[in-house]
Amino acid sequence: MAAADESRAPARKISVFGREFSMPRSRGLRVAIGVLLTIGGILGFLPILGFWMVPLGLLVLSYEFAMVRRHRRRFVVWWERRRRPD
């Protein structure tokens, strides 16, 4: 049943700077991508890897884990308040 439910589930999408990107349907693959991006970002001082990978990895993980999602939502609220003119 889990495989059948997974094939019917709509693809999750991530919105980055106004563009939407589809994520894999497999939860394990999404978690692996998020972890690899975060670890790669920590090694950002090396060639090819960059510190930009850390926030992207955390964004991917935020769709899977409530703790990371909570921090992402707080950041979005803070960012929108900061951008809004008084």
Side-chain angles (χ1 to χ4, degrees):
M1 277 300 217
D5 292 336
E6 198 170 293
S7 65
R8 281 188 240 141
R12 293 182 184 234
K13 296 187 184 227
I14 288 181
S15 178
V16 179
F17 297 118
R19 294 189 62 195
E20 285 191 350
F21 299 95
S22 295
M23 290 195 299
R25 293 186 190 272
S26 167
R27 182 178 193 266
L29 188 56
R30 288 189 305 262
V31 170
I33 289 170
V35 168
L36 289 174
L37 281 169
T38 305
I39 291 172
I42 292 170
L43 301 174
F45 58 89
L46 297 173
I48 299 177
L49 302 175
F51 295 111
W52 59 269
M53 297 169 78
V54 173
L56 186 59
L58 292 174
L59 180 64
V60 171
L61 289 173
S62 74
Y63 284 86
E64 300 302 323
F65 300 107
M67 184 178 75
V68 182
R69 183 171 39 250
R70 190 174 321 124
H71 290 295
R72 176 180 54 93
R73 287 180 182 161
R74 285 182 185 168
F75 175 76
V76 168
V77 168
W78 172 81
W79 184 259
E80 290 300 323
R81 283 184 182 162
R82 185 173 168 248
R83 289 184 47 187
R84 185 178 53 206
D86 289 332

